[in-house]
């Protein structure tokens, strides 16, 4: 049955490939919690990051925007990649964090009904953290962090904060706006960067990544193929497979894609369910050791 499921998801790959995979586990990917552990704790919060570490993630992904008074905060919100930061969906207020001062952001109150985690986890002391607070939480929990440069003009502030925290080796900067990663890499050549790609993966995505000085390509879960992974690895690039937020995954079961992605050899999986992936990873490791 597992072979049949995999072949349904990836019909171009021979069944024999999957049969081999069931008897030999490839190098297992790192578990990265998308915005923390958002089905267990509020997304992009210190509680969510700490919980991700508790359930087995070694990395978390977080989104960074800049306030009107030049503070970096961790928030996703509504809006496009060009105009992110709308607070109307997740908080009891209206507006956009990018046009607010940090003191105003600190006073925002989350709406429990807006989060996919248990409502009692969205407590009155849940607040939007600064990047520095988030990185301090990661360091304490032993986590590395992928920092998505979500909003405009954040590169210098992010690089400065990472330097200040002494965490150049524990972060990766990513963006759909590839120019932002180039700017960050120019500011700090030692920092690792990756390029995010969406539903339309360009055929020359590897060349684009190399030209931008990236060390990793971040491919949407349904755009990953074994051929893409092999080609990226041959070019010296790591591959991360990422899942969309819960609002865009309705009717799709992330877990169905985990083993196929692992078999294809991705290096990192960024998931809304790091607890589920971590358990699967441990199970596959046990099966491999017992074979």
């Amino acid at each position: 049955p597992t072979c049949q499921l995999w072949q349904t998801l990836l019909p171009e790959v021979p069944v024999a490939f999957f049969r081999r995979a069931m008897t030999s586990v490839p190098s297992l990917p790192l578990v990265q919690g998308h915005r923390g552990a958002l089905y267990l704790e509020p997304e992009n919060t210190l509680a969510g990051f700490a919980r991700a570490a508790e359930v087995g993630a070694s990395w978390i992904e977080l989104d960074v925007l800049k306030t009107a008074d030049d503070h970096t905060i961790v928030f996703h919100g509504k809006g496009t990649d060009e105009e992110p930061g709308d607070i109307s969906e997740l908080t009891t207020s209206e507006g956009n964090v990018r046009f607010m001062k940090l003191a105003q952001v600190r006073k925002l109150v989350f709406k429990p009904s807006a989060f996919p985690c248990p409502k009692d986890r969205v407590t009155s002391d849940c607040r939007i953290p600064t990047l520095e607070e988030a990185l301090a939480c990661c360091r304490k929990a032993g986590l590395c962090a992928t920092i998505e440069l979500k909003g405009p003009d954040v590169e210098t502030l992010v690089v400065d904060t990472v330097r200040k925290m002494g965490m150049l080796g524990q972060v990766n900067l990513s963006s759909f706006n590839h120019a932002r990663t180039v700017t960050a890499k120019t500011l700090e050549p030692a920092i690792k960067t990756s390029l995010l790609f969406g539903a339309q993966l360009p055929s020359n995505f590897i060349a684009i990544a190399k030209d931008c000085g990236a060390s990793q390509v971040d491919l949407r879960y349904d755009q990953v193929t074994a051929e893409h992974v092999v080609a990226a690895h041959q070019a010296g690039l790591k591959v991360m497979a990422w899942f969309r937020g819960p609002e865009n995954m309705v009717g799709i079961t992330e877990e169905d894609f985990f083993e196929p992605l692992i078999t294809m050899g991705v290096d990192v999986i960024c998931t809304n369910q790091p607890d589920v992936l971590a358990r699967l990873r441990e199970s596959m490791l046990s099966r491999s050791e017992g074979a």
Side-chain angles (χ1 to χ4, degrees):
T2 304
C3 277
Q4 292 172 355
L5 171 62
W6 286 4
Q7 192 178 29
T8 299
L9 293 171
L10 301 161
E12 76 278 8
V13 182
V15 172
F17 176 81
F18 296 118
R19 289 188 177 135
R20 288 196 302 272
M22 294 174 69
T23 58
S24 62
V25 179
S27 178
L28 295 173
L30 298 173
V31 178
Q32 180 166 282
H34 184 217
R35 306 178 202 164
L38 55 73
Y39 282 117
L40 305 176
E41 300 283 350
E43 67 174 54
N44 275 325
T45 61
L46 303 184
F49 302 146
R51 190 66 178 277
E54 290 173 5
V55 300
S58 55
W59 282 74
I60 54 94
E61 181 269 353
L62 54 84
D63 305 283
V64 169
L65 298 168
K66 186 184 75 166
T67 63
D69 52 349
D70 292 336
H71 290 276
T72 48
I73 57 171
V74 178
F75 187 70
H76 188 282
K78 288 181 65 178
T80 64
D81 286 317
E82 292 74 26
E83 294 293 333
D86 184 278
I87 63 176
S88 61
E89 184 176 86
L90 296 183
T91 78
T92 57
S93 302
E94 300 287 329
N96 192 301
V97 291
R98 294 190 294 123
F99 309 121
M100 303 170 69
K101 292 185 177 181
L102 180 61
Q104 295 172 295
V105 172
R106 293 289 200 191
K107 295 177 182 177
L108 293 174
V109 177
F110 287 142
K111 291 191 292 193
S113 62
F115 293 85
C117 65
K119 306 314 172 197
D120 62 357
R121 304 309 301 170
V122 189
T123 59
S124 58
D125 59 350
C126 275
R127 290 291 185 266
I128 295 173
T130 64
L131 176 60
E132 186 170 341
E133 290 168 342
L135 289 179
C137 176
C138 289
R139 184 161 58 193
K140 181 178 180 181
L143 288 165
C144 294
T146 288
I147 302 170
E148 184 179 342
L149 307 174
K150 197 71 180 175
D153 304 320
V154 295
E155 300 93 329
T156 298
L157 291 171
V158 168
V159 169
D160 286 347
T161 299
V162 173
R163 281 182 182 143
K164 176 184 175 182
M165 299 292 291
M167 295 180 67
L168 285 173
Q170 295 163 262
V171 303
N172 173 65
L173 306 188
S174 70
S175 186
F176 285 104
N177 184 323
H178 301 161
R180 289 178 189 156
T181 68
V182 175
T183 299
K185 192 76 172 175
T186 301
L187 291 168
E188 178 49 76
I191 210 161
K192 284 185 169 24
T193 60
S194 62
L195 303 191
L196 275 160
F197 293 96
Q200 303 298 320
L201 183 65
S203 59
N204 62 334
F205 73 96
I206 291 176
I208 294 172
K210 298 296 283 186
D211 287 345
C212 290
S215 55
Q216 179 175 289
V217 289
D218 299 347
L219 310 183
R220 207 170 88 166
Y221 71 99
D222 54 359
Q223 296 296 304
V224 181
T225 68
E227 291 77 13
H228 287 153
V229 175
V230 169
H233 285 168
Q234 288 177 342
L237 297 168
K238 292 185 181 298
V239 179
M240 185 261 272
W242 61 273
F243 287 88
R244 307 176 77 191
E247 66 279 6
N248 294 308
M249 294 294 292
V250 176
I252 301 171
T253 304
E254 286 185 39
E255 192 173 358
D256 288 345
F257 291 86
F258 288 164
E259 288 201 45
L261 289 170
I262 290 171
T263 300
M264 285 187 282
V266 300
D267 302 284
V268 186
I269 297 178
C270 182
T271 173
N272 299 305
Q273 299 177 286
D275 53 330
V276 177
L277 178 58
R279 286 196 298 270
L280 173 62
R281 191 179 187 278
E282 287 302 311
S283 174
M284 294 182 75
L285 185 60
S286 297
R287 293 200 316 251
S288 176
E289 291 174 346

